[in-house]
């Protein structure tokens, strides 16, 4: 049986990123200073981020040029990535639906995260920064930033959530190979880390704590800036390279999706995948696509959180962001989809959910692994545990189309592969009844 791939030529790689913010129907609520509760200004962010990224963070320009150096780096990331049809999954399901997926698993670190890591490292290097500091959960973001830092000649310091550092050492090795310095968080090298450890010496850490440590480290070191892998507007902007390629691929194959599906941790792969299409809709272009954002039932920020101002980190050092949140002190349970363990969600995505433009959904861990296993067996790709959340919903919709005998077109974002997440798959397989 054939495998259909819709490919773009290298020259069709987008020359500009897309920014959704000017197309929102209701203006995006601004970040607030926690003590005065008035909107923060660019100067409040200048200790953490380079000027150009702050400019992009608050930009009202619909398009932002991609620097030639970053476009060249995107070739290293195997961009443009294919839009592939899941022919084998379709035939296994005996569904009349057509299922397509965008292949963000093909980057050197195995996820969409380098799309923004390379842009961020480029602007920092251009402005004379010498070191980037960041946090990472399972290590996808840390490995993307480590590679991007090496590429643009920067040092890279990563605070890695302790539980992952101990249980999932492989991404730590990846980061070390790319030249990054990796410290388990909570650590003894920041005041905040020390205070957490004083209360609980065996603390397993969390993304919120690691963010606090990375910010404190940044402020305490010269020529050092901070980099964030999701949530912020400039990250969503860089990821739009995914969706702009997709728009060209859909046009080339004459496809109009009934559903577009992405998983959500902080919201960046969903944003990159769907915002160019959503923006066209908000600007009046006709279409009936439903946009579905999928999160884990155990970290249900969009489906059960409050839409309110909250801190991005546990030590409450960041500005307040208006977002769907479970509270900055929420400690997510140790699910295997480490990239989805965040208490909040991007302000732009939160605004779209609040407006009813994007429908949030939550799915359970075992049903996701089951969907991931079926995808691996039929399509030959082991998906990241995060990405299985989108796959699970795509399969459910394909089975629904079979029941109703309708030819739906379903497109989802394959945000990454799961070849460094086999421990999660192993515990899933061990929990299954034998000889299944
Ligand atoms: C980090 C990550 C996610 C979640 O982050 P978003 O910002 O919501 O995209 C999803 N999938 C993979 C493979 C990841 O590495």
């Amino acid at each position: 049986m054939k495998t259909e791939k819709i490919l773009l030529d290298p020259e069709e790689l987008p020359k500009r990123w897309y920014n959704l913010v000017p197309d929102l129907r209701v203006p995006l609520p601004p970040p607030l200073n926690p003590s005065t509760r008035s909107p923060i200004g660019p100067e409040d962010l200048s200790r953490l981020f380079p000027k150009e990224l702050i400019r992009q963070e608050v930009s009202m320009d619909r398009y932002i040029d991609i620097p030639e150096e970053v476009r060249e780096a995107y070739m290293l990331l195997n961009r443009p990535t294919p839009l592939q049809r899941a022919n084998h999954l379709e035939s296994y399901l005996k569904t009349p639906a057509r299922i397509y997926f965008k292949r963000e698993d093909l980057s050197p670190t195995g996820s969409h995260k380098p799309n923004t890591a390379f842009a961020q490292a480029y602007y920092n290097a251009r402005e004379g920064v010498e070191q980037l500091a960041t946090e990472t959960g399972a290590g996808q973001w840390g490995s993307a930033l480590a590679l991007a830092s090496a590429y643009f000649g920067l040092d890279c310091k990563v605070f890695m959530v302790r539980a992952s550092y101990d249980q999932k050492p492989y991404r730590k090795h990846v980061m070390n190979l790319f030249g990054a310095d990796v410290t388990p968080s909570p650590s003894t090298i920041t005041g905040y880390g020390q205070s957490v450890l004083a209360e609980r010496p065996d603390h397993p850490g969390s993304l919120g704590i690691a963010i606090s440590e990375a910010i404190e480290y940044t402020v305490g070191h010269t020529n050092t800036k901070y980099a964030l892998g999701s949530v912020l507007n400039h990250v969503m902007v860089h990821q739009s390279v995914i969706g702009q390629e997709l728009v060209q691929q859909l046009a080339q194959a004459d496809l109009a999706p009934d559903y577009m599906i992405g998983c959500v941790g902080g919201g960046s792969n969903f944003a990159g995948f769907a915002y160019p299409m959503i923006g066209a809709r908000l600007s009046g272009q006709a279409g009936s696509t439903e946009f579905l954002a999928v999160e884990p039932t155990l970290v249900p920020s969009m489906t059960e959180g409050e839409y309110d101002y909250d801190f991005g980190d546990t030590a409450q050092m960041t500005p307040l962001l208006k977002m769907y949140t479970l509270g900055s002190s929420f400690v997510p349970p140790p699910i295997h989809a480490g990239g989805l363990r965040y208490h909040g969600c991007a302000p732009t995505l939160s605004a779209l959910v609040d407006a009813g433009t994007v429908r949030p959904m939550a799915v359970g861990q075992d049903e996701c692994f089951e969907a991931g296993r079926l995808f691996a067996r039929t399509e030959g790709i082991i998906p990241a545990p995060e990405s299985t959340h989108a796959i699970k919903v795509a399969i459910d919709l394909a089975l629904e189309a079979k029941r109703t005998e309708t030819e739906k077109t379903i497109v989802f974002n394959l945000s990454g592969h799961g070849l460094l997440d086999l421990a999660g798959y192993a515990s899933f397989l061990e929990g299954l009844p034998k000889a299944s």
Side-chain angles (χ1 to χ4, degrees):
M1 187 199 298
K2 64 179 188 241
T3 298
E4 289 168 44
K5 290 186 187 178
I6 304 161
L7 304 171
L8 295 177
D9 293 330
E11 312 79 71
E12 291 174 288
L13 180 69
K15 294 197 165 61
R16 317 181 288 181
W17 289 302
Y18 168 70
N19 177 19
L20 173 83
V21 176
D23 287 329
L24 287 173
R25 295 220 170 105
V26 178
L28 192 65
L32 300 183
N33 178 318
S35 35
T36 63
R37 288 195 81 91
S38 54
I40 57 164
E43 64 288 350
D44 296 318
L45 295 172
S46 62
R47 186 59 199 87
L48 295 182
F49 301 108
K51 285 193 192 63
E52 177 57 24
L53 291 178
I54 297 172
R55 200 188 66 75
Q56 293 179 7
E57 185 60 25
V58 298
S59 174
M60 287 301 275
D61 297 337
R62 186 168 286 121
Y63 291 102
I64 295 171
D65 287 341
I66 307 178
E68 201 42 47
E69 292 86 342
V70 177
R71 288 187 81 234
E72 277 164 20
Y74 279 172
M75 304 280 176
L76 181 82
L77 307 183
N78 295 317
R79 307 216 70 86
T81 63
L83 176 64
Q84 189 163 321
R85 185 163 175 188
N87 297 87
H88 313 275
L89 176 62
E90 284 173 23
S91 92
Y92 176 90
L93 297 174
K94 300 189 175 62
T95 174
R98 294 182 291 184
I99 307 172
Y100 293 85
F101 55 102
K102 182 74 170 148
R103 294 207 56 184
E104 294 303 306
D105 60 306
L106 292 176
S107 81
T109 60
S111 83
H112 65 290
K113 292 205 170 73
N115 296 331
T116 184
F118 277 73
Q120 294 189 41
Y122 167 75
Y123 289 118
N124 275 287
R126 204 182 63 176
E127 293 184 28
V129 173
E130 287 168 359
Q131 175 174 236
L132 289 176
T134 197
E135 69 290 329
T136 197
Q140 279 281 15
W141 168 241
S143 41
L145 194 71
L147 176 59
S149 298
Y151 184 91
F152 287 111
L154 299 167
D155 292 336
C156 184
K157 174 79 180 176
V158 183
F159 289 88
M160 183 172 188
V161 174
R162 172 103 234 174
S164 306
Y165 185 93
D166 292 337
Q167 290 158 18
K168 301 174 189 163
Y170 293 109
R171 284 200 189 279
K172 174 178 68 187
H173 304 324
V174 171
M175 290 183 265
N176 289 150
L177 277 172
F178 291 148
D181 185 32
V182 186
T183 303
S185 164
S187 78
T188 52
I189 66 168
T190 68
Y192 186 65
Q194 287 163 10
S195 73
V196 172
L197 288 174
E199 242 170 66
R200 186 177 162 190
D202 64 343
H203 200 295
S206 74
L207 212 47
I209 293 170
I211 294 175
S212 306
E213 286 206 276
I215 291 177
E216 183 183 330
Y217 179 90
T218 301
V219 173
H221 287 76
T222 51
N223 255 335
T224 300
K225 300 270 187 204
Y226 171 67
L228 195 62
S230 189
V231 180
L232 297 181
N233 296 344
H234 67 266
V235 179
M236 310 292 134
V237 165
H238 301 153
Q239 292 294 355
S240 70
V241 65
I242 304 172
Q244 295 198 93
E245 288 176 8
L246 178 63
V247 167
Q248 295 182 71
Q249 288 163 316
L250 294 173
Q252 189 176 309
D254 201 16
L255 293 170
D258 293 288
Y259 302 102
M260 285 182 53
I261 311 161
C263 66
V264 173
S268 73
N269 87 85
F270 180 87
F273 171 72
Y275 282 9
M277 292 276 285
I278 291 175
R281 189 66 42 76
L282 293 175
S283 313
Q285 206 179 87
S288 56
T289 311
E290 261 199 79
F291 300 97
L292 304 174
V294 192
E295 64 186 6
T297 46
L298 290 173
V299 194
S301 54
M302 293 181 296
T303 51
E304 287 181 34
E306 304 265 344
Y307 184 41
D308 204 352
Y309 274 102
D310 193 13
F311 292 96
D313 70 325
T314 309
Q316 311 197 332
M317 298 200 279
T318 68
L320 294 168
L321 299 174
K322 178 115 185 234
M323 59 183 179
Y324 277 95
T325 175
L326 296 161
S328 59
S329 59
F330 176 80
V331 180
I335 57 169
H336 292 293
L340 307 186
R341 294 180 68 227
Y342 185 63
H343 67 269
C345 154
T348 47
L349 179 55
S350 298
L352 292 171
V353 168
D354 188 54
T357 313
V358 169
R359 178 149 66 95
M361 301 177 69
V363 289
Q365 177 159 269
D366 281 349
E367 49 182 350
C368 287
F369 273 125
E370 189 58 62
R373 176 164 76 149
L374 179 56
F375 189 75
R377 284 187 182 183
T378 51
E379 295 298 326
I381 302 167
I382 296 175
E386 291 84 357
S387 315
T388 61
H389 291 69
I391 297 173
K392 163 67 184 158
V393 172
I395 290 174
D396 284 353
L397 290 168
L399 292 174
E400 173 69 22
K402 180 176 169 180
R403 275 190 295 276
T404 57
E405 296 175 19
T406 45
E407 288 184 20
K408 299 286 188 190
T409 301
I410 300 164
V411 184
F412 72 86
N413 197 34
L414 184 65
S415 55
H417 70 64
L419 286 172
L420 290 178
D421 302 288
L422 293 179
Y425 278 101
S427 44
F428 161 71
L429 291 172
E430 280 156 18
L432 288 178
K434 297 293 172 233
S436 65

